Each structure stands twice: as C-alpha cells, then as structure tokens.
Amino acid sequence: MKALCWNAKNDVRVETVPDPKILNPRDAILKITTTAICGSDLHLLDGYIPTMKPGDILGHEFMGEVVELGSEVKNLAKGDRVVVPFNIACGNCWYCKKKLWSCCDNSNPSPDLAETLYGGPPSALFGYSHMFGGYAGGQAQYVRVPFADVGPIKVPDGLPDEKVIFLTDIFPTGYMAVENCNVQKGDTIAIWGAGPVGQFAARSAFLLGAEQVVVMDDVPERLQLARDAGATTVDISQEYVHDKLMDLTAGRGPDGCVDCVGLEAHGATLDHWYDMAKVKIGLATDRTHALRQTINSVRKGGTVSIPGVYGGFLDKFPLGAAFAKGVTFKMGQTHTHNYLKPLLDRVQNGEIDPSFVITHTLPLDQAPHGYEIFRAKKDNCIKIVLKPD
Amino acid sequence: MSTIQDTVRGYLRSNDSAVKGDKNVGETERLISAAAGTLLLKLGLHHRGLSGLAGIGLGAALIKRGYSGQCDLYQYLGVSATQPASPKSYFDHGIHVKSAVTVDKPADELYAFWRKFENLPRFMGHLKSVTVLDDKTSRWVANGPMNSDVQWTAEIINDVPGELIAWRSLAGAQVDNAGSVRFLAAPGGRGTEVRVNLDYIPPGRSVGKWVAKLFGEEPSQQIHQDLRKFKQLMETGVVATINGQSKGSKLD
C-alpha cells in the first residue's frame, strides 16, 4: 500500500510499504477513505517530538471501511464505515472505566520513556512517535486499529466523510477544551489560535452556551473563518491582546481561556523572541508565548484550558499570576471516545457541519506538498484532507 | 514485603550446607572440568616458557576439581552446585529486584493465572518456556546472553491460594534464583496490587553483575516491563504490540 512516511525532520514522503496485518485478536484493518493532516503533525515535521523513527507512518485523523477483523472484535462487521479516535484505549483498565481514555494504562507497548519523562505513560496515539506507542498511522491506504472493539464508531451512510472525519480529533478536542471551562450563562471564552482546533473550539463555545467568543490569531483568512461563526477576533499583530480582552469584558477578563496553539507559539512580543532564542540553543524545549497570555488574561477564579500540545519544559511560566488569581488549569489529550456519539448526534441534527474547516482536498500522493502549504499557511490553507485512492 | 523474603531466606538458610570439604561442583561440570584440564595439561606440556607452565598448573587444578568435585574458587565464593544456593550467596553475590503493579482484576484470578507456570513466558520477556514436572517442581528455560539457553529446575516453597507464591531454583541451576509474588487487594476497588520480589545470582557471581550490565540487561527494568505485560494480558486479554506492523523502508 501507499503510506506517508516520516524519514527525518522536514522529510516526509509517500512510499510503498507492506499492507497492515492483524497482530492481535482485538485488531481490525480499515481501508481508509478519508484522512487528514493535523496541526500537531506539524510538530513531528518540525522535529519537536522525540522518539520518531525513520519509516514511521504518520496520521491520526482517519476513517474508512472495515476490511478485516480479529477474532475478538464482535461489535463490528466487514463493510462497516467507521471513524476512529486518535488515541488508542483498551476499555478495560481503571482509567478507561473512569472514561479517562487518553490516560489508558494498557495501549502503549513502549511506555518506558514517557514513564521516565512524565512519571506515568499516557495512552498510545496513532502515528505520533514511539514514546506514544509507535503505532503506524492512517495517512495511508490501510491501517491497523488495535482495540477495535473499543474505539471506532459506526457512521450512517447518509453522512459524507467530510462531515464526520473530524470526530477523530479536532472537533472533540476543541469541544472538550471549552467544556473544561465549565461554561456558565454570560461567560466569555477567549481562544488563542484560529487553526482547526481553535475553529472548533469557537463553534463549540457557542454550542455550549457562551455569551461571547473571542479568537486570537494573525492569519486574516483564519480570523475571517472565526468571525463567520459569530466570534469576535483579535489580530495579535495589530492589537494588544490583554487590553483588547479587558475592553471586551469591561475589565473582568475572560471566564475561560483556551490555548489552541501549543509548543510552537508565534508572537510579536519580546517574550516570544526570548523563547525562540532559548529553544534554538537548547535551553528550553517549548515556546510558551500563548500560554503566558492566557494566564495573564483570564479572570480571577477562571479556567485556563490547554488542548494545544506541549512536550517538555517551560520557561518564564507566570505561576505567580495563576496562583494570585486562583486559576484552574485543565489540559491533556482529548478523551475522544466520550465525544464520538454526542458530537455525531449534533452533526446529524444539523447543529454543526464540520466540513466548514476544509480548504484543501488532495490525493495521498500529494501529502508532502500538503504538509508544506499547511505549515507555511500558504494558499489560505486551514485544513487538508487526503484521499488515498 | 520483608515477611516473604524472610520466609524464603529462612528456608534457604535451613538447607545451607556448602561447608568446607563438601563437593560443590555439579556432575556435568566435573566431567567438563576434567576434560578441559586434560587438554590444558597436554597443551602446557608441548609449550615452553611461562604460558606452558601456566597451562600445566591450570590443567592440573581443573583435573583435581573434576576428580574431587571440589572447587577452591567456588569454596571461596560460597558456591555449591550440589545444593540450592545458600542464603549467604544470595546476600553476598545476588541481585535483589522488586516491582509492583496494580491490576484491575480480582486476586484469585491473577493468582490462578500465575500459578500455572506455563503461562509465565507469555509476559516474562526473558523466559522461553516453563514445564511443570509435578506439584512442586518445574523446569525453566530462559534466554541467556548471545543466544544461549539458561536452564534450571525450580520448586515451590510457599503457596497460599489467592495470596502468594514463592519459589527457588534447585541445586545445579545455571542461574541460582528465588522469587515470590503476592496478590493484595488495592484500596477503594482499584483491583489487586501485585508485588514481585526476585533474588538471583548471575553466573560468575559478583563479576556477573558487571557483565550483565555490560550486556544491557537491567533486571529491575525487566521485571517492571514483565509486570506491565502481565497487567495488559490480565486486563485486556492481549499484549499491546507493534511488532510486524507496516513501516517505511527506512525503518530498521
């Protein structure tokens, strides 16, 4: 089959590789009909995530048709059309039983490094480094899905791929990030980053009853897309974020601040250039400009929610401000499994059409080009879906 | 923890008879010793100089060792191949490792799986096979360095259904070892705490510790990984793996 392989930093290629096989009785094999490039895949391309190995197949947003089943998978049948969550969960451990799927104890076959680095290994992910299990991803014609009796959700034939593919990651990720802010009547939710997750966070905030949604970015077409959803936008290259947010909330500050940027933040301020310099010479691993602003801006007793990916150590982290204001932090990989059914219902009810975010549809062969334009935000690129055939 | 270790060690102590004058070399090893000694002696007699002399000396010592079944070096190290390893050997030359994992299954179920020793290679990475010989004893085959097999016979020395199993290797083991596993209810319905203690004496005794490290075998890491696999197997019925999955040509 054809698959998008990571070979080195800044080097991804479509190669012909062996087809996947059933390796465990709880596996399934899917023929992929639609897959996508995620903003977090760019961290892999840029070499920010350790333990990638040359030849690793990328991709954690995918859906397709079941073509083969292990003997223990009883809830699916060949021919079923399914969407697969990006994190892999066993469904049996204490964490899965508590619905903390992204903390699954059992899905990661190589948790040693994560255990050493983080003090406890999180669940495995598709196509996202060996620290997170090293599972082959779904930017390919076929994929092996472990614990296929737990993750995949069947989708009705009437809904096109484009409306359901994002249940794999970015829709639940944006949704849970806002849900973590515990939205109350009259709340303002401020969102840093108008990439795909930020877009879904903005729409989810309205779905969850926010009064006002403010989105920060510096890419005009992305700000426009957020305005289309009814959000107020702040161009960070033109305005002071903190001042603007205080003005929009008459001095209260946003009730919930959502960092949809993560470890590769851009900014026009002094601390951003400080972060850039430290990361370049290896004194820090993550650039945290966006996160600092969330803490500074959030109201007293408010919530900072972090769906953006962080990997290592932060510098000049304003914990004093967070402490003084009694901020609640919520973060982590999305417990995707919890959101598949409720969000599929919302799509079916017509409350949201997730395909709004797609700007490019490319054949799998052109995936490397897709990574390039997505990273450079060229050609007004916001979200790319790939078609393997 | 200490109670189990004390039980094991106490039992070992009562069987400790590696005293001066006893045979302390196993039958097979005696034959090999004698044969190697004869060869060295022959070679030594054909060579002049210091190396020839050394050959003669070492050859003679090996023949004596083979003939008498006594080894001065083993004597010095407190080693016997005709008795289970002594507690003194475990204390002086052994490696002690322990690890624990919480498994979300009842203790009885976990005990029953572990007690069928044939199951152990399913989650213990270094074990090739375990064959149960009778109620008490079993034959263990493990992967040794450089594709060799390491074998020993083990006996159960303590067995409380649903609670604990303790075992030790018998005389003649290539690697003397003793171990125990306990199953304890975790608080608040969190399943069962599985606590494992292992003692073993690597070949070559204390030198072996360094050799083992040199070969990259880290025993405490090994048992930790084995317990994690045990948990996966018990909770999910499978061991998570990526071995054999699709990958690009650049991957090894």
Side-chain angles (χ1 to χ4, degrees):
Chain A
M1 68 166 181
K2 282 189 278 186
L4 190 276
C5 297
W6 186 97
N7 286 319
K9 183 179 169 180
N10 297 324
D11 179 0
V12 291
R13 296 177 216 172
V14 174
E15 293 178 22
T16 301
V17 305
D19 288 350
K21 296 184 296 248
I22 299 278
L23 301 177
N24 258 331
R26 293 177 66 182
D27 291 351
I29 306 290
L30 301 191
K31 180 179 193 298
I32 291 168
T33 52
T34 301
T35 175
I37 306 175
C38 180
S40 64
D41 288 332
L42 297 178
H43 302 319
L44 302 173
L45 184 68
D46 292 342
Y48 271 82
I49 307 292
T51 71
M52 290 298 294
K53 289 184 186 171
D56 283 350
I57 299 169
L58 300 189
H60 56 263
E61 298 181 358
F62 55 85
M63 62 178 294
E65 183 196 324
V66 176
V67 292
E68 212 182 326
L69 286 167
S71 57
E72 294 293 315
V73 186
K74 310 288 187 201
N75 61 325
L76 297 177
K78 282 185 191 176
D80 280 348
R81 192 167 159 248
V82 294
V83 172
V84 182
F86 73 96
N87 22 35
I88 303 168
C90 76
N92 306 108
C93 69
W94 187 85
Y95 292 99
C96 286
K97 287 177 186 169
K98 297 272 177 199
K99 301 198 177 297
L100 300 168
W101 309 90
S102 76
C103 301
C104 173
D105 260 343
N106 291 321
S107 58
N108 189 341
S110 52
D112 292 333
L113 182 65
E115 195 164 38
T116 306
L117 266 182
Y118 299 151
S123 81
L125 311 172
F126 285 100
Y128 214 77
S129 88
H130 288 261
M131 187 158 72
F132 298 110
Y135 286 98
Q139 285 163 8
Q141 290 179 302
Y142 295 89
V143 70
R144 167 190 167 233
V145 178
F147 301 111
D149 53 331
V150 177
I153 184 174
K154 284 184 249 187
V155 289
D157 285 338
L159 291 169
D161 282 11
E162 283 67 16
K163 284 194 175 188
V164 288
I165 171 75
F166 301 128
L167 293 173
T168 58
D169 180 352
I170 55 175
F171 186 12
T173 295
Y175 191 90
M176 184 176 107
V178 176
E179 199 182 63
N180 276 341
C181 295
N182 189 23
V183 180
Q184 305 291 308
K185 193 171 175 345
D187 272 4
T188 295
I189 300 296
I191 294 160
W192 274 254
V197 170
Q199 298 292 343
F200 278 105
R203 282 156 179 81
S204 300
F206 285 120
L207 289 174
L208 288 162
E211 180 75 27
Q212 178 174 235
V213 178
V214 189
V215 177
M216 267 63 65
D217 209 304
D218 63 353
V219 182
E221 62 273 16
R222 294 183 176 201
L223 291 172
Q224 182 57 52
L225 194 59
R227 279 195 295 275
D228 293 347
T232 306
T233 59
V234 180
D235 184 337
I236 61 168
S237 67
Q238 305 294 324
E239 294 178 277
Y240 285 111
V241 170
H242 184 265
D243 292 356
K244 182 75 181 180
L245 287 171
M246 287 304 142
D247 182 49
L248 287 167
T249 56
R252 299 188 303 276
D255 304 277
C257 288
V258 185
D259 173 4
C260 300
V261 177
L263 59 80
E264 292 187 74
H266 307 277
T269 55
L270 198 60
D271 68 321
H272 163 64
W273 296 109
Y274 175 84
D275 287 343
M276 283 293 273
K278 289 201 84 162
V279 169
K280 276 267 185 284
I281 58 175
L283 285 176
T285 57
D286 299 2
R287 308 192 317 239
T288 51
H289 170 72
L291 186 56
R292 287 190 197 104
Q293 277 194 344
T294 63
I295 294 167
N296 251 319
S297 305
V298 71
R299 75 158 162 80
K300 289 178 284 183
T303 301
V304 168
S305 169
I306 314 173
V309 172
Y310 288 87
F313 299 91
L314 308 192
D315 193 14
K316 299 288 178 288
F317 185 73
L319 194 62
F323 182 85
K325 294 202 284 187
V327 170
T328 297
F329 284 97
K330 299 283 276 184
M331 65 192 81
Q333 295 285 8
T334 310
H335 303 301
T336 317
H337 299 56
N338 292 339
Y339 298 94
L340 294 174
K341 181 74 176 75
L343 295 186
L344 177 62
D345 288 347
R346 285 189 188 266
V347 173
Q348 278 191 289
N349 298 341
E351 292 173 65
I352 182 168
D353 174 1
S355 66
F356 76 90
V357 78
I358 300 170
T359 52
H360 293 69
T361 301
L362 300 175
L364 178 64
D365 285 331
Q366 289 181 34
H369 169 68
Y371 271 80
E372 271 316 307
I373 61 168
F374 187 30
R375 174 166 67 178
K377 305 185 185 84
K378 271 190 222 161
D379 194 22
N380 294 343
C381 179
I382 296 175
K383 187 72 183 180
I384 297 172
V385 293
L386 302 167
K387 296 287 183 180
D389 283 325
Chain B
M1 204 57 45
S2 61
T3 53
I4 301 296
Q5 288 310 304
D6 291 347
T7 313
V8 174
R9 290 196 169 116
Y11 192 91
L12 292 173
R13 201 169 289 123
S14 68
N15 281 273
D16 182 17
S17 55
V19 288
K20 200 175 178 71
D22 280 359
K23 287 174 182 171
N24 63 359
V25 182
E27 290 302 319
T28 319
E29 202 176 339
R30 283 174 66 185
L31 281 171
I32 294 169
S33 260
T38 310
L39 188 67
L40 267 175
L41 195 65
K42 271 181 147 179
L43 287 171
L45 290 170
H46 281 91
H47 280 79
R48 294 182 180 195
L50 217 54
S51 62
L53 213 58
I56 293 166
L58 191 57
L62 281 174
I63 291 169
K64 179 204 163 219
R65 183 176 183 268
Y67 178 72
S68 69
Q70 288 179 25
C71 174
D72 296 340
L73 182 66
Y74 277 14
Q75 188 76 53
Y76 172 72
L77 291 172
V79 172
S80 171
T82 57
Q83 294 289 331
S86 69
K88 184 171 169 14
S89 284
Y90 278 108
F91 282 121
D92 291 352
H93 310 292
I95 293 177
H96 175 71
V97 291
K98 60 174 189 172
S99 192
V101 70
T102 302
V103 183
D104 201 357
K105 287 280 175 185
D108 286 345
E109 207 175 303
L110 304 181
Y111 165 88
F113 188 86
W114 198 295
R115 183 63 180 76
K116 274 192 185 153
F117 285 159
E118 293 98 331
N119 283 329
L120 299 184
R122 292 177 68 184
F123 61 92
M124 288 190 169
H126 66 293
L127 277 185
K128 271 188 168 169
S129 67
V130 179
T131 312
V132 172
L133 304 174
D134 56 44
D135 280 358
K136 287 267 179 210
T137 59
S138 47
R139 185 75 183 154
W140 300 48
V141 183
N143 295 309
M146 293 183 286
N147 295 324
S148 64
D149 281 356
V150 178
Q151 309 195 16
W152 64 89
T153 302
E155 67 170 352
I156 293 173
I157 53 177
N158 203 349
D159 185 7
V160 183
E163 288 179 30
L164 80 90
I165 311 165
W167 62 92
R168 67 160 182 176
S169 61
L170 291 174
Q174 285 173 296
V175 179
D176 296 309
N177 64 92
S180 69
V181 57
R182 283 199 300 166
F183 306 95
L184 304 150
R190 283 167 171 78
T192 303
E193 293 178 0
V194 180
R195 296 184 175 275
V196 170
N197 279 267
L198 291 177
D199 284 281
Y200 74 96
I201 308 177
R205 276 54 198 180
S206 24
V207 181
K209 276 190 197 176
W210 294 100
V211 175
K213 289 220 165 109
L214 216 61
F215 279 103
E217 305 283 337
E218 183 41 73
S220 58
Q221 189 64 20
Q222 177 75 55
I223 185 65
H224 182 62
Q225 288 169 350
D226 290 347
L227 281 184
R228 209 155 40 201
K229 277 192 200 163
F230 176 66
K231 175 184 165 75
Q232 287 177 0
L233 206 51
M234 293 295 91
E235 290 184 346
T236 76
V238 297
V239 172
T241 185
I242 58 167
N243 291 335
Q245 74 172 3
S246 312
K247 56 199 173 188
S249 54
K250 281 210 165 186
L251 198 69
D252 295 328

